[in-house]
Amino acid sequence: MKVKEMEVEQRPREKALRYGLESLSDLELVALILQSGNKNRSVFEIASDVLKESEGLSKLMQMHVNTLMQIQGIREVKALQLLASVE
């Protein structure tokens, strides 16, 4: 599902502003960091692949930029944003 298709209150950014970051699931946190998907994949699909590949947020900081870039929809900038956010 695309963020634009969600009810406004359920969108990660709005939910975080209203209830705090702790109210977000790991999927929503990664989607918030990524900011957007692309024409082929929603931000939630990409975020889901990130979590599968990293085996969860706790292991994300152990990943390498090149490994993240293997995920469809992740290029250098998004990979660096993810790693910087968990550093």
Side-chain angles (χ1 to χ4, degrees):
M1 171 182 285
K2 293 183 178 182
V3 174
K4 291 180 181 180
E5 297 170 353
M6 300 174 76
E7 290 184 37
V8 174
E9 303 82 31
Q10 294 304 312
R11 295 175 184 177
R13 185 178 305 137
E14 287 78 3
K15 190 174 171 184
L17 288 170
R18 178 171 271 198
Y19 303 111
L21 289 171
E22 62 276 358
S23 70
L24 300 180
S25 67
D26 288 353
L27 180 67
E28 291 169 320
L29 285 169
V30 174
L32 186 61
I33 294 165
L34 292 173
Q35 300 177 354
S36 64
N38 60 35
K39 65 179 181 176
N40 298 317
R41 305 190 74 212
S42 76
V43 69
F44 290 110
E45 291 172 317
I46 298 169
S48 178
D49 285 353
V50 167
L51 290 172
K52 285 178 193 169
E53 186 67 33
S54 67
E55 298 177 6
L57 280 181
S58 61
K59 294 185 180 179
L60 181 58
M61 69 176 147
Q62 298 169 3
M63 293 189 72
H64 190 272
V65 170
N66 292 331
T67 305
L68 284 168
M69 289 173 52
Q70 299 291 320
I71 298 169
Q72 185 181 3
I74 301 281
R75 293 191 179 183
E76 190 174 82
V77 171
K78 287 193 187 271
L80 290 171
Q81 284 174 325
L82 281 166
L83 294 175
S85 69
V86 295
E87 182 61 35

